[in-house]
Amino acid sequence: MDIKFNQNEDHNKLLVSDYLRKFATVKLGGGQKRIEKLHAEGKMTARERIAYLLDKDRDNIEIGAFAGDGMYPEHGGCPSAGVVVKIGYVAGKQCVVVANDATVKAGAWFPITGKKNLRAQEIAMENRLPIIYLVDSAGVYLPMQDEIFPDKEHFGRIFRNNAIMSSMGITQIAAVMGSCVAGGAYLPIMSDEALIVDKTGSIFLAGSYLVKAAIGEEIDNETLGGATTHCEISGVTDYKAKDDKDCLDKIRNILDKIGGYTPTGFDRKPAAAPTLDPMEMYGILPKSRSEQYDMMEIIKRLVDNSEVEEYKSGYGKSIITCYARIDGWAVGIVANQRLVTKTKKGELQFGGVIYSDSADKATRFIANCNQKKIPLVFLQDVTGFMVGSKSEHGGIIKDGAKMVNAVSNSVVPKFTVVIGNSYGAGNYAMCGKAYDPRLIFAWPSAELAVMGGAQAAKVLMQIEATSLKAKGEKVDAEVEKALFEKIKSKYDAQVSPYYAAARLWTDAIIDPIDTRKWISMGIEAANHAPMEKAFNLGVLQV
């Protein structure tokens, strides 16, 4: 291995180490003191509940662990958006599990909490997966109620989705393991079956203090809406559990009895590990986002037996299209090539840029995968579409639109991995969040933005300098440099993968070594859901 490989390896392993450190902090939720307080009340934390519930011998993946990261500092923050979401297995059934984290503002709902809960329900609906809610929440976070209460994608959408999922035949089970108040009380009752933990679980539209203020009635919370009340008097809940573990055991027993599903039929053979060492990806991926590398070398360390069948290998070389298997599943891979390559005419194509011929090739390949019912995997390291008179005259907009059209209308499940750059319209064409990937996740090396930090800072600096000059202020090289550094520093923070993950533009940041697991579990989930419409590109300007 050369010195450059070793430098890349050190850099990327440090990024992963930083990711693991941040993840460890996020897992503490509201902090150790609040965890200890929960334990003193005889309750488990959200993560402990999920760990106990999920099958121990099976993989699981966490959605939105960094949601809320760095957000709401004036309100004390909201680690993991105050809710933990995982896809895993319960009694052998693949499920989505959603657990309120009562260590974060008593499990109250911030705006990002609502967005994350809706994402969990979206995953369950798209893939027809059973969904389990472990409820322990004080309801809407009142200081921010205007950003979580009334709009289409706010709190009320949760209950609308409960009803829609019920009509779709998707199993929903809710366990009330703490507070469940006001509008939130509808969630467990709109689920198929509801459990409640004795003495610690409670459900009511209004607590005892509000009841007294509203109608003058004196009553304690347990009598008002505790487990005995709802299991023996109101009939609101179906099962009473003596403690958290008993409740989770009951959920496992319920899941154990549900029927199977008719697979969609995505092709799978026995899995095989890559023959090339996946750990070498750390050394192949450059430290600098502007450096070139061969994306095929990454692909061969992700796919079974390191074997690919490349489609149109000599054409449109700035995008790689190939068939392969990942953990046994047949996949079609669309990846940005980061090497400078030559066309047959001797023209250079720069790595990470989408050219007309590359867009045309990708469009045809996406159509082929839809025709053959092969899931698509997009590996993003893209700076955008090629610009300039030659590209414009050659119809780059038309060819780019064809690719975006194909991605938009694709009916096979899509999975997006943001490896490096994800800039501008390249993000869209390579199946960014707006294009409904079943899962979208990023490596710690990822950057998401309209354009790179240096380019954006130069543009913004020039605008700012022009504005200062118009006001009669002196703008010399020193002033321009200071403006550039100030703007770039702010912009760099926004292109960070953690900034994107905090806002759920991606579902997760992961160690590159876990990429195969995420794609495999994602395809397995998608295999639960029928493909309900045919692939149709609509009207295209060919």
Side-chain angles (χ1 to χ4, degrees), residues 276 293-301 308 310 320-322 335-337:
L276 297 176
Y293 65 97
D294 189 353
M295 179 64 85
M296 185 59 82
E297 294 303 315
I298 296 288
I299 293 171
K300 287 180 178 179
R301 286 158 177 82
V308 301
E310 191 169 358
I320 295 170
T321 49
C322 61
N336 302 112
Q337 176 58 287

PDB file of all heavy atoms in Angstrom, residues 276 293-301 308 310 320-322 335-337:
ATOM      1  N   LEU A 276     -12.612  -9.194  -2.105  1.00  0.00           N
ATOM      2  CA  LEU A 276     -11.704  -8.091  -1.774  1.00  0.00           C
ATOM      3  C   LEU A 276     -12.079  -7.534  -0.408  1.00  0.00           C
ATOM      4  O   LEU A 276     -13.262  -7.422  -0.076  1.00  0.00           O
ATOM      5  CB  LEU A 276     -11.771  -6.993  -2.848  1.00  0.00           C
ATOM      6  CG  LEU A 276     -11.329  -7.405  -4.251  1.00  0.00           C
ATOM      7  CD1 LEU A 276     -11.542  -6.271  -5.241  1.00  0.00           C
ATOM      8  CD2 LEU A 276      -9.859  -7.831  -4.245  1.00  0.00           C
ATOM      9  N   TYR A 293     -10.687   9.004  -7.546  1.00  0.00           N
ATOM     10  CA  TYR A 293     -10.487   7.610  -7.158  1.00  0.00           C
ATOM     11  C   TYR A 293     -11.411   6.764  -8.022  1.00  0.00           C
ATOM     12  O   TYR A 293     -12.342   7.280  -8.665  1.00  0.00           O
ATOM     13  CB  TYR A 293     -10.773   7.380  -5.673  1.00  0.00           C
ATOM     14  CG  TYR A 293     -12.227   7.601  -5.268  1.00  0.00           C
ATOM     15  CD1 TYR A 293     -13.110   6.533  -5.169  1.00  0.00           C
ATOM     16  CD2 TYR A 293     -12.706   8.874  -4.981  1.00  0.00           C
ATOM     17  CE1 TYR A 293     -14.439   6.727  -4.807  1.00  0.00           C
ATOM     18  CE2 TYR A 293     -14.024   9.082  -4.618  1.00  0.00           C
ATOM     19  CZ  TYR A 293     -14.890   8.006  -4.536  1.00  0.00           C
ATOM     20  OH  TYR A 293     -16.208   8.206  -4.197  1.00  0.00           O
ATOM     21  N   ASP A 294     -11.187   5.477  -8.035  1.00  0.00           N
ATOM     22  CA  ASP A 294     -11.967   4.569  -8.870  1.00  0.00           C
ATOM     23  C   ASP A 294     -13.132   4.004  -8.052  1.00  0.00           C
ATOM     24  O   ASP A 294     -12.937   3.156  -7.178  1.00  0.00           O
ATOM     25  CB  ASP A 294     -11.073   3.435  -9.382  1.00  0.00           C
ATOM     26  CG  ASP A 294     -11.761   2.564 -10.425  1.00  0.00           C
ATOM     27  OD1 ASP A 294     -12.974   2.749 -10.648  1.00  0.00           O
ATOM     28  OD2 ASP A 294     -11.080   1.693 -11.012  1.00  0.00           O
ATOM     29  N   MET A 295     -14.349   4.470  -8.358  1.00  0.00           N
ATOM     30  CA  MET A 295     -15.523   4.006  -7.623  1.00  0.00           C
ATOM     31  C   MET A 295     -15.741   2.503  -7.772  1.00  0.00           C
ATOM     32  O   MET A 295     -16.294   1.857  -6.876  1.00  0.00           O
ATOM     33  CB  MET A 295     -16.772   4.765  -8.103  1.00  0.00           C
ATOM     34  CG  MET A 295     -18.073   4.347  -7.426  1.00  0.00           C
ATOM     35  SD  MET A 295     -18.111   4.693  -5.638  1.00  0.00           S
ATOM     36  CE  MET A 295     -18.643   6.411  -5.652  1.00  0.00           C
ATOM     37  N   MET A 296     -15.278   1.931  -8.873  1.00  0.00           N
ATOM     38  CA  MET A 296     -15.429   0.487  -9.053  1.00  0.00           C
ATOM     39  C   MET A 296     -14.716  -0.292  -7.957  1.00  0.00           C
ATOM     40  O   MET A 296     -15.161  -1.378  -7.551  1.00  0.00           O
ATOM     41  CB  MET A 296     -14.922   0.059 -10.437  1.00  0.00           C
ATOM     42  CG  MET A 296     -15.155  -1.417 -10.750  1.00  0.00           C
ATOM     43  SD  MET A 296     -16.900  -1.909 -10.692  1.00  0.00           S
ATOM     44  CE  MET A 296     -17.437  -1.374 -12.317  1.00  0.00           C
ATOM     45  N   GLU A 297     -13.613   0.264  -7.440  1.00  0.00           N
ATOM     46  CA  GLU A 297     -12.892  -0.398  -6.353  1.00  0.00           C
ATOM     47  C   GLU A 297     -13.705  -0.406  -5.056  1.00  0.00           C
ATOM     48  O   GLU A 297     -13.575  -1.313  -4.231  1.00  0.00           O
ATOM     49  CB  GLU A 297     -11.528   0.266  -6.138  1.00  0.00           C
ATOM     50  CG  GLU A 297     -10.561   0.083  -7.305  1.00  0.00           C
ATOM     51  CD  GLU A 297     -10.316  -1.384  -7.624  1.00  0.00           C
ATOM     52  OE1 GLU A 297     -10.100  -2.168  -6.686  1.00  0.00           O
ATOM     53  OE2 GLU A 297     -10.353  -1.741  -8.813  1.00  0.00           O
ATOM     54  N   ILE A 298     -14.535   0.615  -4.859  1.00  0.00           N
ATOM     55  CA  ILE A 298     -15.467   0.631  -3.715  1.00  0.00           C
ATOM     56  C   ILE A 298     -16.551  -0.416  -3.941  1.00  0.00           C
ATOM     57  O   ILE A 298     -16.868  -1.217  -3.047  1.00  0.00           O
ATOM     58  CB  ILE A 298     -16.095   2.031  -3.551  1.00  0.00           C
ATOM     59  CG1 ILE A 298     -15.035   3.085  -3.213  1.00  0.00           C
ATOM     60  CG2 ILE A 298     -17.203   1.996  -2.498  1.00  0.00           C
ATOM     61  CD1 ILE A 298     -14.466   3.014  -1.817  1.00  0.00           C
ATOM     62  N   ILE A 299     -17.137  -0.411  -5.140  1.00  0.00           N
ATOM     63  CA  ILE A 299     -18.229  -1.335  -5.451  1.00  0.00           C
ATOM     64  C   ILE A 299     -17.799  -2.783  -5.230  1.00  0.00           C
ATOM     65  O   ILE A 299     -18.529  -3.580  -4.628  1.00  0.00           O
ATOM     66  CB  ILE A 299     -18.710  -1.125  -6.904  1.00  0.00           C
ATOM     67  CG1 ILE A 299     -19.365   0.248  -7.058  1.00  0.00           C
ATOM     68  CG2 ILE A 299     -19.693  -2.228  -7.316  1.00  0.00           C
ATOM     69  CD1 ILE A 299     -19.682   0.630  -8.494  1.00  0.00           C
ATOM     70  N   LYS A 300     -16.589  -3.127  -5.689  1.00  0.00           N
ATOM     71  CA  LYS A 300     -16.125  -4.510  -5.584  1.00  0.00           C
ATOM     72  C   LYS A 300     -15.911  -4.946  -4.124  1.00  0.00           C
ATOM     73  O   LYS A 300     -15.831  -6.154  -3.850  1.00  0.00           O
ATOM     74  CB  LYS A 300     -14.833  -4.698  -6.380  1.00  0.00           C
ATOM     75  CG  LYS A 300     -15.064  -4.692  -7.887  1.00  0.00           C
ATOM     76  CD  LYS A 300     -13.762  -4.892  -8.648  1.00  0.00           C
ATOM     77  CE  LYS A 300     -14.006  -4.947 -10.157  1.00  0.00           C
ATOM     78  NZ  LYS A 300     -12.744  -5.107 -10.920  1.00  0.00           N
ATOM     79  N   ARG A 301     -15.843  -3.988  -3.223  1.00  0.00           N
ATOM     80  CA  ARG A 301     -15.689  -4.315  -1.798  1.00  0.00           C
ATOM     81  C   ARG A 301     -17.025  -4.275  -1.057  1.00  0.00           C
ATOM     82  O   ARG A 301     -17.070  -4.477   0.151  1.00  0.00           O
ATOM     83  CB  ARG A 301     -14.656  -3.374  -1.169  1.00  0.00           C
ATOM     84  CG  ARG A 301     -13.231  -3.749  -1.590  1.00  0.00           C
ATOM     85  CD  ARG A 301     -12.249  -2.622  -1.456  1.00  0.00           C
ATOM     86  NE  ARG A 301     -10.892  -3.074  -1.804  1.00  0.00           N
ATOM     87  CZ  ARG A 301     -10.432  -3.175  -3.074  1.00  0.00           C
ATOM     88  NH1 ARG A 301     -11.227  -2.855  -4.095  1.00  0.00           N
ATOM     89  NH2 ARG A 301      -9.203  -3.603  -3.313  1.00  0.00           N
ATOM     90  N   VAL A 308     -19.107  -8.068 -10.511  1.00  0.00           N
ATOM     91  CA  VAL A 308     -20.095  -7.186 -11.123  1.00  0.00           C
ATOM     92  C   VAL A 308     -20.201  -7.503 -12.616  1.00  0.00           C
ATOM     93  O   VAL A 308     -19.256  -8.008 -13.221  1.00  0.00           O
ATOM     94  CB  VAL A 308     -19.735  -5.688 -10.961  1.00  0.00           C
ATOM     95  CG1 VAL A 308     -19.621  -5.307  -9.502  1.00  0.00           C
ATOM     96  CG2 VAL A 308     -18.441  -5.342 -11.699  1.00  0.00           C
ATOM     97  N   GLU A 310     -20.886  -5.218 -15.677  1.00  0.00           N
ATOM     98  CA  GLU A 310     -21.048  -3.795 -15.991  1.00  0.00           C
ATOM     99  C   GLU A 310     -21.835  -3.597 -17.276  1.00  0.00           C
ATOM    100  O   GLU A 310     -21.579  -4.246 -18.288  1.00  0.00           O
ATOM    101  CB  GLU A 310     -19.684  -3.114 -16.090  1.00  0.00           C
ATOM    102  CG  GLU A 310     -19.797  -1.594 -16.145  1.00  0.00           C
ATOM    103  CD  GLU A 310     -18.468  -0.871 -15.984  1.00  0.00           C
ATOM    104  OE1 GLU A 310     -17.433  -1.551 -15.793  1.00  0.00           O
ATOM    105  OE2 GLU A 310     -18.467   0.367 -16.038  1.00  0.00           O
ATOM    106  N   ILE A 320     -21.080   4.749 -13.459  1.00  0.00           N
ATOM    107  CA  ILE A 320     -20.978   3.293 -13.545  1.00  0.00           C
ATOM    108  C   ILE A 320     -22.373   2.706 -13.375  1.00  0.00           C
ATOM    109  O   ILE A 320     -23.116   3.086 -12.457  1.00  0.00           O
ATOM    110  CB  ILE A 320     -20.056   2.731 -12.448  1.00  0.00           C
ATOM    111  CG1 ILE A 320     -18.615   3.209 -12.659  1.00  0.00           C
ATOM    112  CG2 ILE A 320     -20.118   1.206 -12.407  1.00  0.00           C
ATOM    113  CD1 ILE A 320     -17.701   2.888 -11.480  1.00  0.00           C
ATOM    114  N   THR A 321     -22.759   1.810 -14.258  1.00  0.00           N
ATOM    115  CA  THR A 321     -24.005   1.054 -14.098  1.00  0.00           C
ATOM    116  C   THR A 321     -23.645  -0.422 -14.167  1.00  0.00           C
ATOM    117  O   THR A 321     -22.951  -0.861 -15.090  1.00  0.00           O
ATOM    118  CB  THR A 321     -25.024   1.408 -15.199  1.00  0.00           C
ATOM    119  OG1 THR A 321     -24.382   1.345 -16.475  1.00  0.00           O
ATOM    120  CG2 THR A 321     -25.581   2.804 -15.010  1.00  0.00           C
ATOM    121  N   CYS A 322     -24.092  -1.189 -13.191  1.00  0.00           N
ATOM    122  CA  CYS A 322     -23.724  -2.608 -13.176  1.00  0.00           C
ATOM    123  C   CYS A 322     -24.708  -3.427 -12.367  1.00  0.00           C
ATOM    124  O   CYS A 322     -25.410  -2.909 -11.484  1.00  0.00           O
ATOM    125  CB  CYS A 322     -22.312  -2.790 -12.621  1.00  0.00           C
ATOM    126  SG  CYS A 322     -22.081  -2.230 -10.922  1.00  0.00           S
ATOM    127  N   ALA A 335     -23.628   4.430  -9.944  1.00  0.00           N
ATOM    128  CA  ALA A 335     -22.607   5.073  -9.103  1.00  0.00           C
ATOM    129  C   ALA A 335     -21.840   6.121  -9.901  1.00  0.00           C
ATOM    130  O   ALA A 335     -21.545   5.927 -11.079  1.00  0.00           O
ATOM    131  CB  ALA A 335     -21.631   4.018  -8.568  1.00  0.00           C
ATOM    132  N   ASN A 336     -21.510   7.213  -9.231  1.00  0.00           N
ATOM    133  CA  ASN A 336     -20.681   8.245  -9.865  1.00  0.00           C
ATOM    134  C   ASN A 336     -19.230   7.781  -9.909  1.00  0.00           C
ATOM    135  O   ASN A 336     -18.648   7.444  -8.878  1.00  0.00           O
ATOM    136  CB  ASN A 336     -20.771   9.549  -9.079  1.00  0.00           C
ATOM    137  CG  ASN A 336     -22.182  10.071  -8.952  1.00  0.00           C
ATOM    138  OD1 ASN A 336     -22.748  10.096  -7.865  1.00  0.00           O
ATOM    139  ND2 ASN A 336     -22.757  10.476 -10.065  1.00  0.00           N
ATOM    140  N   GLN A 337     -18.656   7.758 -11.113  1.00  0.00           N
ATOM    141  CA  GLN A 337     -17.236   7.425 -11.250  1.00  0.00           C
ATOM    142  C   GLN A 337     -16.424   8.685 -10.971  1.00  0.00           C
ATOM    143  O   GLN A 337     -16.720   9.759 -11.493  1.00  0.00           O
ATOM    144  CB  GLN A 337     -16.946   6.909 -12.662  1.00  0.00           C
ATOM    145  CG  GLN A 337     -15.482   6.621 -12.940  1.00  0.00           C
ATOM    146  CD  GLN A 337     -14.854   5.606 -11.994  1.00  0.00           C
ATOM    147  OE1 GLN A 337     -14.596   5.932 -10.824  1.00  0.00           O
ATOM    148  NE2 GLN A 337     -14.617   4.400 -12.481  1.00  0.00           N
TER     149      GLN A 337
END
